[in-house]
Amino acid sequence: MTERHTTLEYDPGSRGQNGSTRSSRTLKGSEVPNVLLEGGPIERADQLKDVASTVAIAIDPVALITTECITVTSAMRKHARWAHSSVSAILGGSSSTAYRAGPGSSASKGLPRRTIKAPYNGALAATPSVITEEEDSLTGRWGLRGKKGKSIQDNPLMSAFARLRGELRGCQDIRYFDIPSLLHPFLQVIRSSSTSAPITSLALIAIAKFFAYNLIVKKSPRLSLGMQLLSAAVTHCRFEASDSAADEIVLLRILKLMEGMLSGPGGDLLGDESVCEMMETGLSMCCQMRLSELLRRSAEVSMITMCQVLFERLKCLENEVGGDVAALEETAQDAEGGELKMDAPLKGTNAASPQPSAVSTPLSPAFEEVSKAASLGQERRRSTSLEQPAETNDSDVINGVNGSMVNLTQNPTLDQDHIAEIKPYSLPSIRELFRVLVDLLEPHDKQHTDAMRIMALRIIDVAMEVAGPSIAKHPSLASLAKDHLCKHLFQLVRSDNMNLLNESLRVAGTLLATCRGVLKLQQELFLSYLVTCLHPRVDIPQEAGIDPSLYEGVPHVPKLAKQPASSTSSGRSTPVPVKDRQKLGMEGGSRKPDAREAMVESLGALARIPSFLSELFVNYDCEVDRGDICEDLIGLLSRNAFPDSATWSTTNVPPLCLDALLGYVQFVADRLDDDAISEGFPDPRDLRKQRYRKKIIIKGVAKFNETPKAGIAYLASQGIIENPQDPQSVVQFLKGTTRISKKVLGEYISKNSNEPILRAFMDTFDFASKRVDEALRDLLVAFRLPGESALIERIVTVFSEKYCATSTPDGVADKDSVFVLTYAIIMLNTDQHNPNVKTQNRMVFSDFAKNLRGVNCGKDFDAQYLQDIYDSIKNNEIILPDEHDNKHAFDHAWQELLLKTDTARELVICNTNIFDADMFEATWKPVIATLSYVFMSASEDAVYQRVVAGFDQCAQIAARYRITDALDHIVYCLATITTLMPDSPSNTSLNTEVQVGKKSVMVSELAVKFGRDYRAQLATIVLFKGVIVGNEARIRNSWKYVIRIWLNLFVNSLLRPTFSQSHGFLEISPIPIQSPHIVNRADRANESGLFQSFTSYLSSYAADDPPEPSDDELSDTLCTVDCLAACPIDTVFSNIMTLPSESLVALSRALLDQLPEDSSPAVIVVKPEPGSPNPKVNGNRMNSDASSYDPSMVYILELLTILAIRDEESSCAIGQDVAEALQNIVRNAANNHSLVVSRAAFYLLHLLSASHEQTFIRAPVILHTISSLGQPIAVKAALPILKGLALCMQGPRPLRNEIANSPDFWSTIRGLHTVPGAASSVFELLMGIMADTPSAITADNYEFYIEALNDFATAGSTGAQLEQKRDKNMRRSRAVKPLDPRDNEIVGRGIRAVTMIYQLSSRVPALIEQSHLERKEAWTAYWSPIFRALSTQCINPCRDIRHQAFSGLQRALLSPELASADHQEWTAIFGEVLFPLILQLLKPEIYHSDPVGMSETRVQAATLLCKIFLHYLVLLSEWDGMIELWLRILDIMDRLMNSGQGDSLEEAVPESLKNILLVMANGGYLIPPSENPKSARLWQETQKRLERFLPGMFQEIFPEPLQIPASTETEPLRIGEAVKKIETSPEEKK
């Protein structure tokens, strides 16, 4: 602390106006140290001590004291009373007078000094013996004599100052001077009633200086005694009244001196009695209304400061006893002896006051009451004061000594031992002060004004602020707080006096903030009252633009609101006017706006305690018998945070409530990362069970209050009532539950059928040693008497039996007597307290006794007995507190509350976060509703900032504690505020893409509106950046709102059409959306003015394009783009890819729900697929099915597919739902756009590839669905389908085999190979199947595969036209254009297809072996398809393909695996392959398809036929059908010779036949009949047929008789040579 110094300048010559000597002071710093203190009240005492220890003065302390002595005596001598006094006080006493020297003091001026340790009485004596002879001679020399010649130098007041000055001579260290000696003369002046106010003021100033200038320190001698004397003097100060201003200055200085005493170094040495006297003095000044307002306020400030010190002492006392509060209480009780008692102000107190003078100076009117109070209380106190009143005689009066003066010098019995008995003040004085302050709050004590109560409240508030927890620890103080303080406070908060209400609420708040651990039920009562008062019963007004669903969840009424009492009355309850109920009752009533604001401030202060609401939740909401205070309080704050609450309160209430709500959320959020401390706290699981049980009980009680029988049955079914047939079980519940309606309970137990329950209920009471009226009073508190007399009679009968069950009470004969007496008491209660009965008509005691004559078993009741009953009922009505609201009801209810505190559980201080999850789950609805409403209605940035932070914190809390409902609602509210999820799809027809330089911006209606809405932009950023990102796994039902936002942004080109990381999952082009009208601002940068705008408008109108966006619209769109760029949507997508399966299911369901049911979305023009012509956009020409395209639908399907194929876990979780959705779209292709269908088919195949092992998806089903597509749709969907199929064929072998063996697969690819751009994909599929190892070609797909290849080979026929055109140009010597690459590609695929068909021949034997078919069937199944395909391509118009087919056919027919002697099915190659091929070649249309090349093909066919015949001649010779085969060959040759082709066939056919005949002849197959009659037919038929088309050839080869021609070699012609010879065609020979 910075050291402060006080500089004192003394001018001995200066005098005041009245001629008195004055000290002129210039203070640097502060005269009163505590004026400049800072900090809280707890630190004030320590700061005071620190300041005092650092203040120093620049002059000699002894000189200062001497100056003060002279100042006082000079002023006294100016007074008429002391005008002729001795001047010894001015000149000072003898130097030989004893003084208290400090340690180490030595002689002065060479003379030895004696240190005399005088006894106490000697130290303070002022007798004439003290005056030495030298002094006496000096006084005689100066001639200072009285009028009668008698010396008056021994006046006690004056001589005391002279003696003090004498003792001070030679003092070197004032800190070691005896304190009682130092203070004695000044204290005499203060206590003397003969002094005037200015003189008393000077004495007070002097003592204040001694403390302020550090002249009195902790180690000063006999400081404790000095403090006691000083306390007694200032609290019994007397002086003559003068003007009121001067008098009040004295009182003000007394206040400041008392304040400095308690705060100074000797403050803790004061005794309990001294402290009590000082507090009485201060309170008296505070409460005297005739004192000036300034003085009373100053007294209040001083009392507050002193109370800070006193209650701070309480904490020191705890430390001194080591925290043993019980020991401290016991010690305080012993020290006090039970007799220390402070008198309340105005009831007789010890107060400083002016007094009448000896010369009858009139008393100022302002102090009459103070004087009276002082005199009344003087004799009532057992004082341990060290002063005794001086004996008064006439001579004293003559000499100017006033008889009322207390002489501090005469106390001969006092010694050091007695001084040691005065112990420092402790708990007794603190407790007594606390009691007096609490008693001042009594609302029904008319002697106490509201001003006094306000003063007391302010002091109590400081006491609670300083030592509230310590007060709660001490039983004696805590009992005062729990009972009287709370009782008075809870009645004062109903006051209409705003000052009183404010202070009451402040004290109540401080009390609960510091002592709530011992105020559990009191806190519930207080908060319940505030909630009832403040919670409005009106609906939230609807505002335009704010969806009511945003603020759903705000309670309409608090849960603690009780149903209104029944309007019917039996006459046994006293109706109370509504006005009185509002003032006295516990229901609150209507309060003024300022009062509501004050209450809200009080609640806000409590809510700012970090653990307060958590404590409410644990101690009330989770207890069965307590109300849901936490939920009600949150609901109250939420409802009053709405702007409309200002209409019935003030404009400050909504922000105050909002601040409290946000503070609650802030506290919970701040505790999220704290360690979970559970030791010493209830188990949250047990609390959940209790809350569940509580809900059941509340529901059951509600049923009981409507229909008791149904309520009992429900509670029994839930296990609350163990056995509904057992009356004890039923009664145990009914009596132990406060929520039961007393009226319904009375009617229920009084029914005849429920008599066992009534008797069990009555058995729960103990009426022993109680009068009948007392027992009846206890009974009727539990329920209300029913209205029917029969029911009342039944209750009274059972009551009488119970009352007399144990033993008949004295004065009562039997139960019948009790019955009659009970009825009489009930009637008396109604008669005495029914407001409808006039006073003069009320029953008196004689009437009451008369009615009961002879009913006590034929005798009368004792008169005194009846008198006691009568007086009890007359003075205290038997009432039901729940149905009455007056003072008696409140007192009764308060006593019931105090009784319950003994059995109530202790309040748990919840400085932990283990209950936050359950608490927030119970309270989030009104919080989020309020934030949403305020967000929509706010207009200030500060409000936005707080609300945004609140949303963010709520989201963090909900996500951390997995409160998915809360998180979902937050998402819904923010999504609604964003305006990005309208009910109807956005209109995108006017979307325009604006290009400025390298930047492209899509201007749309949505982008423009969103860019102008700051609130929507802020909500969007909060939604994605503060709520969704990082919490994706916790979101459940609110994904649908997020998805709607994505879709809306996507269709307006504000969201990228590809997902984060999606390229790693789906290799497909981005989703096409609208092709916008494009405006290039860069091209028009040089154009400006009206002409540019006019031409732009005309051009747009002519082209049917939307108008060009304005600069403002472009700017708004850029704002939208920037806002969305700040939203981490890509991060959200990335996090979605790692969602757990449970969260993934919720997201997928939300996506599936967005798929349209009837597939009839709005009209949107789409970008064409790559390769297709670009239609005119925003014009008249559109795609034929563009009206049914919805890009958002594709967006959903693609995202679903990505999620489903993510991994095996996600496939199991959502794959089935996704697969069904995709299949439904493909099946319903007629009602969906082809683009949607095509991508759905691709997604479906992709899903099949990733999830083929799952049971929910099967390749045959999917392939059948795709193959069932209509041809127009299938053509448009060809590329995606093929891409999906290719992906599947790259999958595992089981999947490849399953697909390859599916007929629908082959049907699909055969239908798609003709689609432009799709043929290569199909052919790649076929090649992949061919190259697969092990082979994917099986018996099931063998024929399909060949047919597909054959289709590709046939498609290559387009090359014939180019070949023929080229031939034509060559004949005309024209330049030959190169072939189109696409045509080359088609022809090339045809050639490769033929080659692949031939290559399959090598796999035929293995297939036949695996097939287990018969040889003929196997041959037909595997060889025939190859031969048919090759034969088909042998007539292909394209020469390259035809030649390749002939080559392959020849090699296949000559394959060694084809024929075998073991079987003859291979012979079908002639009838099924070669013969049909030649017959096809003979057809004119076949020939004219390639006139140039087909002739050669015919020659090749003829040659091939002969070659194959010769190759298999040996095997054919063993076949029975050889002759018919040979004859048919001859017929075929005949047709070839007569086909009119020309020289090529005429040369090739004879040559081939000649070779065959020679081989047959040499091989012994063609033999003349003469040699072998069996071959006669072959010989004859051969000769016959040859003669028909080759006359003479047979004779030429086989002349008759048979001779070998000379030209023929002698060696026979072998078959191989013949075949080789046949292979050389005539063209080759040439």
Side-chain angles (χ1 to χ4, degrees), residues 1108-1323:
E1108 181 179 347
S1110 65
D1111 291 339
D1112 290 341
E1113 292 174 336
L1114 181 59
S1115 177
D1116 294 334
T1117 302
L1118 292 175
C1119 289
T1120 299
V1121 173
D1122 293 340
C1123 174
L1124 296 177
C1127 301
I1129 299 180
D1130 286 344
T1131 305
V1132 174
F1133 283 127
S1134 300
N1135 295 339
I1136 284 175
M1137 297 307 162
T1138 60
L1139 285 180
S1141 58
E1142 181 182 0
S1143 303
L1144 201 62
V1145 170
L1147 175 58
S1148 67
R1149 289 176 179 172
L1151 287 166
L1152 291 170
D1153 291 341
Q1154 297 300 315
L1155 293 175
E1157 296 180 359
D1158 54 356
S1159 298
S1160 56
V1163 177
I1164 296 178
V1165 181
V1166 301
K1167 294 180 180 179
E1169 288 282 4
S1172 62
N1174 187 9
K1176 185 173 182 179
V1177 183
N1178 293 326
N1180 297 324
R1181 293 180 297 166
M1182 303 171 64
N1183 262 343
S1184 60
D1185 57 355
S1187 59
S1188 62
Y1189 176 66
D1190 184 3
S1192 62
M1193 191 174 180
V1194 182
Y1195 185 94
I1196 295 171
L1197 297 177
E1198 183 165 316
L1199 181 54
L1200 279 170
T1201 305
I1202 292 175
L1203 296 175
I1205 65 177
R1206 185 188 66 182
D1207 51 36
E1208 184 177 356
E1209 182 182 3
S1210 62
S1211 178
C1212 295
I1214 66 173
Q1216 183 173 358
D1217 294 336
V1218 177
E1220 290 179 358
L1222 294 172
Q1223 290 184 70
N1224 289 337
I1225 291 175
V1226 176
R1227 291 192 190 105
N1228 196 26
N1231 297 324
N1232 290 293
H1233 192 276
S1234 59
L1235 184 55
V1236 177
V1237 176
S1238 65
R1239 296 185 76 101
F1242 170 74
Y1243 301 148
L1244 187 59
L1245 291 170
H1246 206 305
L1247 180 61
L1248 172 63
S1249 174
S1251 309
H1252 65 279
E1253 295 181 354
Q1254 303 296 331
T1255 57
F1256 62 80
I1257 192 166
R1258 286 289 176 262
V1261 177
I1262 293 176
L1263 293 173
H1264 179 73
T1265 302
I1266 294 176
S1267 66
S1268 301
L1269 293 173
Q1271 185 62 23
I1273 296 179
V1275 169
K1276 295 180 180 180
L1279 292 178
I1281 291 175
L1282 291 173
K1283 185 173 291 188
L1285 290 173
L1287 184 65
C1288 292
M1289 295 306 295
Q1290 297 172 3
R1293 175 165 300 281
L1295 177 62
R1296 298 201 305 266
N1297 291 340
E1298 193 173 16
I1299 293 176
N1301 293 330
S1302 172
D1304 293 314
F1305 169 74
W1306 298 103
S1307 172
T1308 300
I1309 63 173
R1310 289 189 66 188
L1312 299 179
H1313 82 280
T1314 58
V1315 177
S1320 59
S1321 299
V1322 175
F1323 194 74

Side-chain angles (χ1 to χ4, degrees), residues 532 914 1242 1278:
T532 306
I914 61 175
F1242 170 74

Side-chain angles (χ1 to χ4, degrees), residues 991-1009:
N991 288 9
T992 304
E993 183 176 353
V994 179
Q995 295 181 348
V996 181
K998 297 181 179 180
K999 190 172 183 179
S1000 177
V1001 178
M1002 178 70 72
V1003 180
S1004 62
E1005 181 182 356
L1006 173 74
V1008 172
K1009 289 182 178 179

Side-chain angles (χ1 to χ4, degrees), residues 920-990:
F920 190 76
E921 186 175 12
T923 58
W924 64 263
K925 289 183 179 179
V927 175
I928 296 174
T930 303
L931 293 179
S932 301
Y933 191 96
V934 174
F935 196 102
M936 288 295 293
S937 60
S939 58
E940 298 182 10
D941 292 341
V943 178
Y944 281 127
Q945 183 178 2
R946 292 294 305 276
V947 172
V948 166
F951 269 123
D952 182 58
Q953 291 163 355
C954 286
Q956 293 179 23
I957 297 168
R960 176 67 62 86
Y961 294 130
R962 300 178 181 272
I963 308 175
T964 56
D965 291 343
L967 190 60
D968 287 336
H969 194 69
I970 293 173
V971 172
Y972 165 73
C973 293
L974 289 174
T976 302
I977 299 172
T978 62
T979 69
L980 293 177
M981 56 170 205
D983 296 331
S984 57
S986 300
N987 181 14
T988 60
S989 60
L990 299 179

Side-chain angles (χ1 to χ4, degrees), residues 1400-1474:
L1400 288 175
S1401 62
S1402 62
R1403 305 187 183 189
V1404 171
L1407 292 173
I1408 292 176
E1409 183 177 354
Q1410 296 171 5
S1411 64
H1412 304 291
L1413 298 175
E1414 296 182 1
R1415 300 297 301 183
K1416 183 176 182 180
E1417 294 178 356
W1419 195 94
T1420 303
Y1422 298 109
W1423 281 110
S1424 294
I1426 294 177
F1427 293 141
R1428 283 199 302 270
L1430 291 175
S1431 298
T1432 301
Q1433 300 311 316
C1434 285
I1435 59 174
N1436 193 305
C1438 182
R1439 297 169 193 167
D1440 293 338
I1441 295 175
R1442 192 166 63 243
H1443 292 162
Q1444 186 67 24
F1446 264 103
S1447 175
L1449 179 61
Q1450 177 177 323
R1451 288 193 297 252
L1453 291 173
L1454 296 176
S1455 173
E1457 291 85 3
L1458 178 63
S1460 173
D1462 299 336
H1463 54 88
Q1464 297 178 344
E1465 63 277 0
W1466 57 271
T1467 57
I1469 60 176
F1470 294 98
E1472 296 180 4
V1473 180
L1474 293 173

Side-chain angles (χ1 to χ4, degrees), residues 589-787:
S590 176
R591 301 306 298 264
K592 295 179 180 179
D594 291 340
R596 290 179 177 273
E597 180 180 343
M599 292 179 179
V600 169
E601 290 177 353
S602 178
L603 288 177
L606 291 173
R608 283 191 289 272
I609 301 174
S611 62
F612 183 73
L613 286 167
S614 179
E615 292 167 9
L616 294 184
F617 179 76
V618 173
N619 293 283
Y620 303 104
D621 295 47
C622 293
E623 285 197 17
V624 175
D625 295 331
R626 307 270 69 84
D628 293 329
I629 302 297
C630 179
E631 291 189 46
D632 283 337
L633 185 54
I634 294 297
L636 165 69
L637 294 174
S638 298
R639 181 62 186 89
N640 283 276
F642 282 69
D644 69 303
S645 65
T647 59
W648 57 79
S649 55
T650 65
T651 55
N652 292 332
V653 168
L656 286 172
C657 292
L658 179 62
D659 179 70
L661 269 185
L662 293 172
Y664 158 65
V665 175
Q666 177 71 48
F667 291 140
V668 177
D670 291 342
R671 294 193 294 261
L672 285 176
D673 297 325
D674 293 349
D675 295 334
I677 302 174
S678 58
E679 184 177 357
F681 296 103
D683 191 338
R685 292 172 294 184
D686 295 338
L687 295 184
R688 294 188 196 105
K689 294 177 182 178
Q690 290 178 201
R691 291 192 69 223
Y692 178 72
R693 178 181 175 86
K694 182 177 182 179
K695 291 180 180 179
I696 294 176
I697 290 176
I698 292 175
K699 184 176 180 180
V701 168
K703 290 179 177 291
F704 180 89
N705 292 337
E706 294 178 1
T707 308
K709 187 175 181 180
I712 295 295
Y714 173 78
L715 292 168
S717 66
Q718 298 295 326
I720 304 300
I721 297 179
E722 296 181 1
N723 182 9
Q725 305 302 323
D726 180 15
Q728 297 293 340
S729 298
V730 176
V731 169
Q732 182 180 2
F733 172 78
L734 294 179
K735 194 174 181 184
T737 304
T738 59
R739 294 180 173 86
I740 294 290
S741 169
K742 302 297 179 70
K743 177 177 179 296
V744 176
L745 178 60
E747 294 174 350
Y748 175 71
I749 63 176
S750 60
K751 290 183 178 179
N752 188 28
S753 58
N754 295 328
E755 185 173 346
I757 296 178
L758 174 60
R759 294 187 177 278
F761 190 87
M762 204 70 68
D763 290 339
T764 60
F765 293 91
D766 183 13
F767 299 141
S769 303
K770 292 184 179 180
R771 224 172 35 232
V772 175
D773 62 309
E774 295 173 346
L776 183 63
R777 192 183 298 276
D778 291 345
L779 177 66
L780 295 185
V781 169
F783 63 89
R784 180 181 179 181
L785 281 175

